[in-house]
């Protein structure tokens, strides 16, 4: 049976060859455990330099859900919850992991109303604007001011931190000014701003962003640099630019079952990714291929569901045509649009090639 071509997600492949080479070269070295080895130290130093945050605390964890849960647990008091967009990953696709740790997710609208479709073929406009998936500063301000205006707020779950992702679940991006507005509100209410960077490289390398890694380190209180989706076998690099907010972070990591004994594996991978700008270079490949894919989709008259500037491209498909496509292509189901149409996601990644795009287009 012919193997299907896969554009279902951006973590279907293994690791960058440079990482595999170094893992093989260091396989028989005797290294200290739990992230105390020389590779973790070197990787942390390189990340601090890239962020222009010389005093940052850096930790290496295995996966995104685990990382979100641990960071939020570190940031919050037992009586506090985390504010997130309705469509945010911690609210929608993490199986209640945050609630399982004892903290409520307090959701606010993270999207604007869909626009009416207009025109035909390539003249059709995206269904959603670039605001989908994002928290707007005005909505955050209203949630916080309304909470403290309620005389009963001492009996309620306090909004203790704000969670955003960059890119969002819908591939949209915050601008620098939007991050500055959110950061200012969080400072006003003395709560931390946390940025989920599972796809951070793809956000930073977008052709339509004005946000840099240094901007993020300056404006947020915690974030992580995704490796699982950007060239590593697995792993996320957690950064607290202004120091970790707890006296003893390692016990908290261990309580969550997340302290990897062979922590040097994570350190080595991020040390490699942050050598010779590899992380940014391979992230740029995903964006180049996404732009190529987008151009081909528009040329063939497909309806773009969202104006995504990153590696995730969303299209509106007739359900009958989708049945035919599924015989040849693995895609990501996103949501039902109506009784006869479905929104699907096609994701490029650090290793996607022009040949992959050409093969996909044969079936579109």
């Amino acid at each position: 049976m012919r193997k299907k071509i896969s554009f279902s997600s951006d973590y279907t492949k293994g690791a960058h060859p440079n990482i595999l080479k170094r893992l093989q070269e260091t396989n028989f070295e005797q290294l200290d455990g739990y992230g105390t080895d020389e590779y973790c130290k070197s990787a942390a130093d390189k990340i601090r330099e890239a962020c222009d945050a010389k005093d940052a605390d850096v930790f290496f964890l295995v996966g995104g859900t685990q990382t979100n849960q641990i960071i939020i647990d570190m940031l919050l008091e037992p009586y506090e919850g985390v504010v997130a967009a309705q469509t945010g990953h911690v609210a929608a696709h993490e199986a209640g992991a945050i609630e399982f740790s004892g903290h409520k997710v307090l959701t606010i609208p993270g999207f604007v109303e869909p626009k009416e479709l207009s025109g035909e073929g390539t003249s059709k406009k995206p269904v959603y604007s670039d605001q989908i998936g994002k928290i707007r500063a005005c909505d955050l301000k209203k949630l916080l001011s309304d909470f403290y205006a309620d005389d009963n707020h001492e009996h309620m779950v306090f909004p203790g931190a704000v969670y955003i992702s960059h890119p969002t679940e819908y591939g949209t991006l915050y601008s620098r000014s939007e991050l500055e507005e959110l950061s200012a509100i969080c400072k006003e209410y003395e709560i931390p701003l946390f940025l989920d960077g599972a796809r951070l490289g793809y956000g930073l390398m977008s052709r339509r962003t004005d946000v840099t890694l240094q901007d993020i380190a300056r404006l947020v209180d915690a974030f992580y640099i995704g490796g699982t989706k950007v060239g590593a076998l697995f792993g996320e690099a957690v950064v607290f630019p202004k120091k970790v907010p707890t006296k003893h972070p390692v016990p908290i990591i261990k309580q969550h079952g997340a302290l990897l004994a062979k922590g040097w594996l994570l350190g080595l991978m991020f040390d490699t990714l942050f050598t010779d700008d590899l992380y940014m270079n391979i992230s740029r490949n995903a964006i180049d291929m996404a732009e190529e894919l987008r151009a081909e989709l528009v040329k063939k008259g497909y309806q773009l569901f969202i104006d995504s500037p990153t590696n995730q491209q969303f299209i509106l498909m007739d359900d009958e045509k989708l049945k035919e496509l599924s015989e040849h292509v693995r895609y990501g189901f996103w949501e039902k649009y109506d009784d006869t149409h479905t929104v699907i996601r096609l994701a490029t990644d650090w290793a996607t090639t022009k040949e992959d795009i050409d093969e996909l287009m044969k079936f579109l």
Side-chain angles (χ1 to χ4, degrees):
M1 189 174 77
R2 188 181 186 281
K3 186 178 180 181
K4 293 182 181 181
I5 186 169
S6 180
F7 279 79
S8 60
S9 70
D10 41 19
Y11 47 87
T12 57
K13 301 182 180 74
H16 190 275
N18 289 16
I19 288 176
L20 296 178
K21 180 182 177 183
R22 289 194 75 191
L23 286 171
Q24 185 177 32
E25 291 171 349
T26 58
N27 191 47
F28 292 104
E29 288 186 20
Q30 294 180 328
L31 297 160
D32 293 333
Y34 305 110
T36 60
D37 61 278
E38 61 188 78
Y39 295 115
C40 284
K41 292 175 184 174
S42 175
D45 285 341
K46 289 178 180 179
I47 288 171
R48 290 186 190 101
E49 183 178 359
C51 295
D52 192 22
K54 60 184 177 66
D55 296 323
D57 283 319
V58 181
F59 301 90
F60 300 103
L61 300 174
V62 173
T65 297
Q66 173 198 81
T67 300
N68 285 332
Q69 188 187 62
I70 291 168
I71 292 176
I72 288 170
D73 205 18
M74 284 184 179
L75 294 176
L76 298 181
E77 297 290 348
Y79 53 86
E80 292 178 327
V82 62
V83 178
Q86 251 175 346
T87 54
H89 205 265
V90 295
H93 290 149
E94 289 192 341
I98 306 307
E99 288 86 349
F100 186 74
S101 68
H103 300 289
K104 187 175 183 178
V105 179
L106 306 165
T107 59
I108 58 177
F111 56 88
V112 295
E113 290 301 313
K115 299 175 181 176
E116 293 294 326
L117 287 176
S118 60
E120 295 184 1
T122 57
S123 66
K124 288 184 180 180
K125 301 297 183 184
V127 178
Y128 282 106
S129 76
D130 63 358
Q131 292 300 305
I132 186 171
K134 291 153 62 171
I135 289 179
R136 296 183 296 182
C138 58
D139 294 328
L140 176 61
K141 178 76 172 181
K142 184 176 189 308
L143 180 143
L144 294 170
S145 61
D146 286 354
F147 174 83
Y148 285 104
D150 190 328
D151 289 341
N152 296 304
H153 70 263
E154 290 287 350
H155 301 273
M156 298 156 65
V157 176
F158 275 61
V162 176
Y163 165 96
I164 59 175
S165 56
H166 184 82
T168 69
E169 293 301 287
Y170 285 85
T172 51
L173 296 171
Y174 288 91
S175 67
R176 185 186 297 132
S177 63
E178 287 172 332
L179 286 180
E180 287 172 342
E181 288 176 350
L182 291 175
S183 180
I185 293 170
C186 288
K187 284 182 171 61
E188 178 185 350
Y189 284 88
E190 298 181 344
I191 58 175
L193 178 61
F194 163 41
L195 185 146
D196 175 334
R199 296 183 171 91
L200 186 58
Y202 303 143
L204 293 172
M205 288 297 101
S206 171
R207 298 175 186 178
R208 288 185 272 166
T209 187
D210 62 352
V211 172
T212 66
L213 186 58
Q214 295 80 13
D215 289 329
I216 290 170
R218 174 173 59 87
L219 293 170
V220 310
D221 300 283
F223 70 97
Y224 68 94
I225 301 167
T228 301
K229 294 178 173 69
V230 192
L233 277 174
F234 54 86
E236 325 297 326
V238 179
V239 182
F240 292 96
K242 308 169 188 68
K243 293 291 186 181
V244 65
T246 182
K247 288 170 63 176
H248 301 289
V250 172
I252 296 176
I253 293 172
K254 194 152 193 172
Q255 285 177 344
H256 286 268
L259 192 61
L260 188 65
K262 295 182 181 179
W264 66 271
L265 291 168
L266 292 164
L268 185 77
M269 287 191 283
F270 277 96
D271 188 63
T272 305
L273 289 172
F274 278 81
T275 297
D276 297 330
D277 220 21
L278 181 63
Y279 187 77
M280 300 304 181
N281 289 333
I282 63 176
S283 295
R284 186 178 296 111
N285 175 76
I287 298 302
D288 290 343
M289 291 300 99
E291 293 292 337
E292 181 81 22
L293 172 60
R294 178 192 179 92
E296 290 295 325
L297 291 169
V298 170
K299 186 189 300 182
K300 290 204 173 203
Y302 281 91
Q303 171 61 51
L304 297 175
F305 181 61
I306 299 161
D307 186 20
S308 169
T310 56
N311 71 308
Q312 301 179 86
Q313 296 298 313
F314 302 83
I315 57 174
L316 196 61
M317 290 283 292
D318 176 86
D319 287 347
E320 290 302 314
K321 290 183 179 180
L322 195 56
K323 287 180 183 178
E324 297 175 17
L325 184 67
S326 63
E327 295 177 8
H328 308 283
V329 177
R330 296 206 308 273
Y331 55 83
F333 169 86
W334 204 246
E335 60 188 66
K336 283 293 296 177
Y337 181 72
D338 58 28
D339 291 342
T340 58
H341 293 84
T342 299
V343 179
I344 68 168
R345 179 184 70 177
L346 300 170
T348 61
D349 61 37
W350 59 275
T352 301
T353 64
K354 177 64 166 61
E355 290 71 27
D356 293 331
I357 303 293
D358 292 341
E359 182 73 10
L360 170 65
M361 298 315 296
K362 290 178 183 177
F363 304 112
L364 285 168

